[in-house]
Amino acid sequence: MPAPDISPFPLLAIEAVADGRNAWTALLLRVDGSAGDEAQALARLLAYPDLFAALAPLDAIVRVANSAALTPALLQILEAQRAAPRLVFALPARAYAEPDALARCQALQAAGCRFMQDGELDPALPSWLGGQLYACIPGQPVARAPRTPGPHLAHGVADAAQQQQCREAGFDGFSGSYALQAPTPAVPGASGSRKHMLALLGMLAREAEVHEIEIQLKQDPALSFQLLRLANSAAQGLRKPVSNFGQAIMLLGRRQMQRWLQLLLYARAQADGLPNLLLPLAALRAAQMEMLCKLQGGNADEQDRAFMAGVFSLLDVLLGMPMGEVVAALGLPSEVGAALMARHGRLGHLLQLAEARAPDHEALRRAEADPESLWRSQLQGYHWAIQVSRNL
C-alpha cells in the first residue's frame, strides 16, 4: 500500500480515560473534519506511522460522527498498523442507523475493532454495540450505566463529586476536568517532603555541588528510595547496583535527574492511597512542550525550559498555593516564570497549546505551530506520560 498522505494533518481533541484506581486505560480521540471530510481526516489519523506503538498499551477510542467515515480503505490501513484489537470506534445511535452502517462496522469488527455507542443508548441495536460513552451534563444527575457489555465510560466529568456519582451509577472509566483538580489530602509528612523537593529543584537549577544535593536528599527517605530505584532501573547492565546518591547523580546526569525530580514532586502518596492524576498530565505537558520547542528549532537549553514550564504548570494545583509563590521559591528563569504566571511569551503560547484539549487555529498561530507538528508533540507527550505513569 502506498505511504499515506499525512499532510495537512487534522486537529485532534485528545483526552485520557482513567479507571477507578486513577490509572490511564484509554485515550479518547476525535478528529476535526471541518477542513475536509471526516473520512479523510480519520484515515490520516489511523495511518500515521507508529501511532499505536506510541500509545501502547492503552486503547484508542475514536469518536466518529457519521458511519460513512468508516470506509473500506480503513481496513487496509489497520492491517498495515496491526493494531485493530486496541481500536474502539464510538458512534452515536443515529449513525448506526444510517444505510449500510452496520455492514461497515461488521467488516471492521471482523478485523478486530470494537464498537460502542456515543451518547444515549438504543436498545434495538445489536448487543455488540452495548458499550457506552456517556456525556455528563453540569447540574444534572448522572444516569445509571446500562446492564450491557462494557466498557461504560463517562466523559466531561467536572469534579470529584461528579466522578463519585458516576462510579455509583456503574461507570468504570472517567475523563474530564476532575483530573485537573487538587488531589485528596496527602499522607502526614508529605508537605515537608515537598519542601525538600522544592529545595532540591532549586539546587539543581543553580547547579549546586553533588555533596549539597546528597545532603538534601538524605532528609527525605521516600524520595531517596524512589531516586535510587530509578537509578537502578537505568543501570540494569551494571554489575553492582547503585547504592548511594552520588552514584545515582553521576549515572542519571543532572539533566535527567532534574527531570525525574520534577515529576517525582507529583508522585507523593495520598491519603486514599491512589496515584495522583496530576502526574501523567504534568508529564504530558512537559514532553509535548519540549517536542514543540525542538520542532521549532530550539536548542537544548530552550527545550529544557519548555519542559520545565510544562511540568511545573500544575504545581499551584498540587501545592494549593499561588503560582507566584511557586515561581519565587524555585528561582525560575524569567521566561519560564512569565509563562507559568501569565501565559506570556513564546513558552506561554506553547503552554496554552499543551493545555488545550481541543486546540484551535488561533492557538496554533500564536504558538507558531502547524497541525502536524502539534500532533507529533501530542503523540510524543502521551507516549512519555504513559511510560512515566507506569514507572513512578
Side-chain angles (χ1 to χ4, degrees), residues 41-361:
L42 183 60
R44 286 199 178 105
L45 166 66
L46 297 180
Y48 201 88
D50 300 322
L51 166 64
F52 293 95
L55 302 182
L58 304 188
D59 286 337
I61 302 173
V62 182
R63 301 179 71 186
V64 180
N66 302 291
S67 65
L70 304 179
T71 65
L74 289 185
L75 288 171
Q76 293 179 291
I77 292 172
L78 295 175
E79 182 179 351
Q81 289 279 34
R82 298 180 180 177
R86 291 194 12 248
L87 180 60
V88 184
F89 289 110
L91 284 75
R94 59 158 182 78
Y96 288 113
E98 294 168 351
D100 300 323
L102 291 181
R104 292 170 182 265
C105 295
Q106 286 175 317
L108 288 165
Q109 186 194 38
C113 298
R114 288 169 286 157
F115 288 84
M116 60 193 306
Q117 296 188 52
D118 188 350
E120 295 297 323
L121 289 182
D122 181 350
L125 289 171
S127 59
W128 49 268
L129 298 175
Q132 182 187 25
L133 186 60
Y134 173 82
C136 293
I137 301 175
Q140 293 191 15
V142 176
R144 289 207 61 81
R147 297 178 180 274
T148 58
H152 300 298
L153 311 177
H155 69 100
V157 181
D159 51 34
Q162 192 169 59
Q163 188 212 17
Q164 182 60 32
Q165 292 175 17
C166 291
R167 294 180 67 165
E168 292 173 355
F171 290 92
D172 46 32
F174 319 92
S175 69
S177 56
Y178 84 99
L180 287 165
Q181 297 180 357
T184 57
V187 295
S191 60
S193 294
R194 291 193 177 113
K195 290 180 181 178
H196 293 312
M197 183 79 76
L198 289 172
L200 274 167
L201 292 170
M203 287 181 173
L204 288 166
R206 63 177 173 83
E207 298 186 355
E209 296 296 328
V210 170
H211 74 274
E212 294 182 72
I213 299 173
E214 190 169 347
I215 290 171
Q216 187 67 37
L217 272 169
K218 288 179 178 178
Q219 298 180 43
D220 190 337
L223 175 60
S224 302
F225 169 77
Q226 288 177 306
L227 183 61
L228 288 176
R229 182 169 62 86
L230 282 171
N232 278 298
S233 176
Q236 291 180 355
L238 298 183
R239 292 183 178 180
K240 294 183 178 180
V242 176
S243 58
N244 62 65
F245 308 123
Q247 290 177 355
I249 294 169
M250 295 300 293
L251 177 67
L252 293 174
R254 284 180 177 272
R255 188 168 184 259
Q256 286 303 316
M257 180 175 174
Q258 185 172 9
R259 293 188 169 201
W260 281 114
L261 282 171
Q262 289 166 358
L263 287 166
L264 282 171
L265 186 59
Y266 293 90
R268 315 308 296 176
Q270 298 180 101
D272 58 11
L274 297 179
N276 188 347
L277 275 172
L278 294 176
L279 169 62
L281 292 174
L284 166 64
R285 291 184 184 183
Q288 184 174 352
M289 287 184 65
E290 179 187 30
M291 175 58 76
L292 282 168
C293 182
K294 179 179 180 180
L295 292 173
Q296 293 178 349
N299 60 34
D301 288 339
E302 291 170 327
Q303 291 175 42
D304 281 345
R305 289 194 290 273
F307 184 97
M308 186 183 299
V311 79
F312 286 163
S313 64
L314 291 167
L315 280 186
D316 56 337
V317 178
L318 179 75
L319 301 176
M321 58 191 292
M323 183 60 80
E325 294 183 20
V326 176
V327 171
L330 294 177
L332 298 175
S334 58
E335 183 185 10
V336 177
L340 291 174
M341 294 177 63
R343 303 302 187 261
H344 285 170
R346 179 190 179 199
L347 286 183
H349 295 150
L350 292 181
L351 179 54
Q352 286 181 312
L353 202 56
E355 288 174 319
R357 184 181 65 85
D360 56 33
H361 288 281

